[in-house]
Each structure stands twice: as C-alpha cells, then as structure tokens.
Amino acid sequence: PVSWENGATEVVVDEATGRVFTNSNWDLRVEGIDVTTDTIVTTTWAPRTINDLTIDPVGHRAFAAVSLGFVQTIDTFTGNATGAASTFV
C-alpha cells in the first residue's frame, strides 16, 4: 500500500515522467509512483504535516506545502528532495 489516508490526501500527476505523487499526513511523507511499472519509486519525508501538493509540469518538480511555512521541492524524474524553502515573510 501507499500510505495512510486521513481525508486530506493530495494526488498530482506529472504526465511527462509518468509519475503520480501523493502525500500522507499520518506518515509525513510524499510518495512517487511510476504508472508504467505500478511501483513506488520514491519516498520523501516531510518535517511536518503537508497542507498541499502540486506539480510544475515544465520544470518537473513537485511542491509540498508543509505546515509552519515551508515548501519542499521534489524532482519528479529522480524523486530526490531538492530543497526546502521558508515561506515566512
């Protein structure tokens, strides 16, 4: 199975890479699924609850808005977390 679900789970798709990304607020992680092989190819841990998940289809990045003002960036080709930025102003 992917992760525990609590009604706040997001599912986003990067069509060019054939990857689906979903988050689990129970497990504090984002998982990437390769739709051609139907396997989990990446798991990225978040430091806190994930409030939103979105895809940049041009730059092939997934962005996870993490509570308390952080955005975590995930490369949709490699599945690697490429950084986290504070959004506090």
Side-chain angles (χ1 to χ4, degrees):
V2 179
S3 294
W4 293 96
E5 195 273 325
N6 66 350
T9 299
E10 302 277 336
V11 177
V12 295
V13 179
D14 187 339
E15 292 180 29
T17 63
R19 302 261 170 103
V20 172
F21 289 83
T22 186
N23 70 294
S24 169
N25 286 329
W26 287 99
D27 298 329
L28 300 178
R29 64 185 181 189
V30 175
E31 292 182 306
I33 303 161
D34 186 318
V35 297
T36 59
T37 62
D38 196 26
T39 57
I40 298 171
V41 293
T42 184
T43 300
T44 304
W45 300 97
R48 291 184 167 60
T49 302
I50 301 162
N51 296 328
D52 200 6
L53 191 63
T54 191
I55 289 282
D56 171 6
V58 176
H60 303 291
R61 300 281 187 266
F63 297 96
V66 180
S67 63
L68 298 179
F70 288 93
V71 175
Q72 187 170 24
T73 307
I74 302 164
D75 184 309
T76 60
F77 280 112
T78 66
N80 295 330
T82 58
S86 174
T87 58
F88 285 121
V89 177

